[in-house]
């Protein structure tokens, strides 16, 4: 357990990311939360944008709300929309207060505009004064955003992607930690691109300036695997050799499966295409990957008409159209 910035919250360094809840049932969600409780995980992160995630978590947390710190977030940028989202979150999560409410995926170009009289930050401040939320945070995929947030003193936590192949936030996480700003790492497995979950978590937890990593987990087994790392987060020479190999293989030009690119107007299931191409090229599962690729039907990469709409939404500025062409080249030989 460690103190989360200056919030006074004592949290386990492995938390829970609520994105995968969208893929499972209420009953399965309950089992995951049961396992979180058994393993002492007490930090849960979700979002208004994660469809049923808030609602399923609210149902699962009935009768044990005080055992967890709940964080959620909203993409709203104006005052009225943020006020409305806070109320929806409270209702969905079936609670009188939310421990950490975050501005979700704030882009560098819009950062300076969120503080006006009719903008979202004001709604968060008012909700905090009313006791509806206890702390205010920010998440982003843009380094400039979190750099400004740490210097501003307006946010009590930052959340940013961080993993073996994405450590560009190293310096700003250290600065945030020094200033008492809570540090949350999302995408610890690089959106599933890193196959060794234990190594990925050890890498992050070996950094003392990182308060909590929030892997998405949708089974009790994943909870047990990720929390087991806490007792042995020291990297060995063998670990460092594996890390170097992963960095060399993945680089930075890969899909993190955040799904911000969706929906595609043509129905192309963009992240799934990249995942299957990865299985084919990196893990030697050629027949398996081709079979599942063909089962995508109209969702295959070859259905792309190169409209480019997906690229305008990708927080990593990937050249998705070119990457889809490569999928076709690899999987439609």
């Amino acid at each position: 357990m460690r103190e989360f910035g200056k919030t006074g919250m004592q949290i386990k360094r492995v938390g829970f990311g609520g994105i995968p809840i969208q893929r499972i049932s209420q009953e399965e969600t309950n089992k995951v939360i049961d396992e979180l409780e058994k393993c002492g995980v007490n930090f849960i992160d979700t979002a208004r944008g994660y469809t049923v995630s808030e609602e399923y978590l609210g149902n699962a947390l009935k009768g044990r709300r005080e055992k967890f710190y709940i964080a959620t977030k909203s993409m709203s940028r104006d005052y009225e929309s943020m006020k409305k989202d806070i109320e929806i979150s409270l209702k969905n999560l079936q609670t009188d207060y939310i421990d950490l409410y975050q501005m979700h995926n704030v882009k560098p170009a819009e950062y300076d505009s969120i503080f006006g009289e009719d903008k979202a930050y004001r709604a968060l401040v008012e909700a905090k004064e009313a006791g509806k939320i206890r702390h205010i945070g920010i998440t982003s995929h843009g380094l400039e955003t979190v750099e400004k947030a740490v210097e501003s003193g307006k946010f009590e936590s930052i959340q940013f992607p961080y993993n073996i192949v994405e450590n560009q936030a190293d310096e700003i996480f250290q600065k945030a930690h020094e200033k008492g700003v809570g540090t949350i790492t999302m995408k610890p497995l690089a959106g599933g691109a890193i196959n060794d979950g234990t190594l990925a978590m050890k890498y992050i937890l070996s950094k003392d300036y990182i308060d909590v990593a929030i892997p998405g987990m949708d089974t009790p087994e994943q909870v047990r695997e990720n929390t087991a790392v806490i007792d042995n987060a020291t990297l060995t020479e063998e670990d460092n050799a594996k890390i170097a190999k992963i960095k060399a293989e993945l680089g930075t030009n890969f899909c993190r499966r955040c799904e911000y690119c969706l929906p595609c107007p043509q129905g192309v299931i963009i992240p799934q295409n990249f995942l299957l191409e990865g299985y084919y090229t990196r893990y030697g599962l050629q027949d398996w990957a081709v079979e599942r690729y063909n089962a995508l039907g109209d969702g295959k990469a070859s259905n792309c008409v190169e409209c480019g709409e997906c690229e305008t939404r990708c927080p990593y500025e990937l050249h998705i159209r070119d990457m889809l062409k490569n999928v076709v080249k690899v999987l439609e030989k």
Side-chain angles (χ1 to χ4, degrees), residues 163 165-166 187-196 246 249-251 254-257 274-275 278 282-283:
N163 51 63
V165 290
E166 295 178 282
K187 304 289 184 288
L189 275 67
I194 298 171
N195 200 35
D196 190 335
I246 290 170
E249 288 178 350
L250 282 181
F254 64 91
C255 173
R256 283 77 167 177
R257 287 156 62 192
F274 296 148
L275 178 65
R282 289 197 293 273
Y283 302 125

Side-chain angles (χ1 to χ4, degrees), residues 86-252:
I86 292 169
E87 295 300 327
I88 293 172
S89 292
L90 289 166
K91 181 180 178 182
N92 286 346
L93 292 162
Q94 301 181 45
T95 182
D96 295 329
Y97 69 95
I98 291 164
D99 297 284
L100 176 66
Y101 212 100
Q102 304 158 101
M103 296 201 69
H104 190 180
N105 193 26
V106 178
K107 297 177 174 60
E110 63 185 356
Y111 177 85
D112 292 329
S113 68
I114 61 178
F115 302 106
E117 183 69 16
D118 61 344
K119 299 301 181 180
Y121 185 79
R122 177 188 157 208
L124 292 172
V125 171
E126 290 183 0
K128 183 178 179 181
E129 291 171 348
K132 294 181 179 181
I133 65 176
R134 294 190 170 172
H135 305 284
I136 300 173
I138 190 169
T139 85
S140 183
H141 294 260
L143 197 60
E144 186 181 338
T145 293
V146 289
E147 287 174 340
K148 286 184 175 181
V150 168
E151 294 298 335
S152 73
K154 294 179 182 293
F155 297 97
E156 296 165 271
S157 68
I158 57 170
Q159 183 178 151
F160 196 82
Y162 189 90
N163 51 63
I164 288 171
V165 290
E166 295 178 282
N167 58 7
Q168 64 269 35
D170 231 9
E171 187 176 329
I172 193 63
F173 271 139
Q174 291 180 54
K175 184 179 290 186
H177 183 66
E178 290 167 6
K179 286 178 172 286
V181 176
T183 52
I184 308 169
T185 61
M186 58 171 142
K187 304 289 184 288
L189 275 67
I194 298 171
N195 200 35
D196 190 335
T198 297
L199 180 62
M201 293 300 294
K202 282 181 72 175
Y203 175 80
I204 294 170
L205 297 182
S206 69
K207 317 292 184 181
D208 188 57
Y209 45 86
I210 290 173
D211 291 329
V212 59
I214 51 169
M217 300 179 277
D218 56 18
T219 67
E221 291 74 24
Q222 290 173 0
V223 175
R224 289 193 290 272
E225 177 185 345
N226 286 323
T227 53
V229 179
I230 293 176
D231 295 327
N232 182 25
T234 303
L235 295 172
T236 64
E237 287 187 18
E238 183 181 353
D239 289 334
N240 287 323
K242 290 179 181 177
I243 287 168
K245 183 180 179 183
I246 290 170
K247 286 182 175 181
E249 288 178 350
L250 282 181
T252 57

Side-chain angles (χ1 to χ4, degrees), residues 2 29 32 35 37 89 95 111 136 220-221 235 239 253 257 267 287-288 294 308 325:
R2 69 184 294 157
T29 300
V32 170
E35 196 62 35
E37 186 176 349
S89 292
T95 182
Y111 177 85
I136 300 173
E221 291 74 24
L235 295 172
D239 289 334
N253 190 42
R257 287 156 62 192
D287 293 342
W288 185 91
N294 289 330
K325 288 179 185 176

Side-chain angles (χ1 to χ4, degrees), residues 273-303:
N273 278 273
F274 296 148
L275 178 65
L276 293 173
E277 184 271 333
Y279 278 124
Y280 186 100
T281 58
R282 289 197 293 273
Y283 302 125
L285 298 170
Q286 284 86 358
D287 293 342
W288 185 91
V290 170
E291 180 184 344
R292 278 154 182 77
Y293 174 76
N294 289 330
L296 292 178
D298 291 340
K300 292 193 294 187
S302 53
N303 203 36

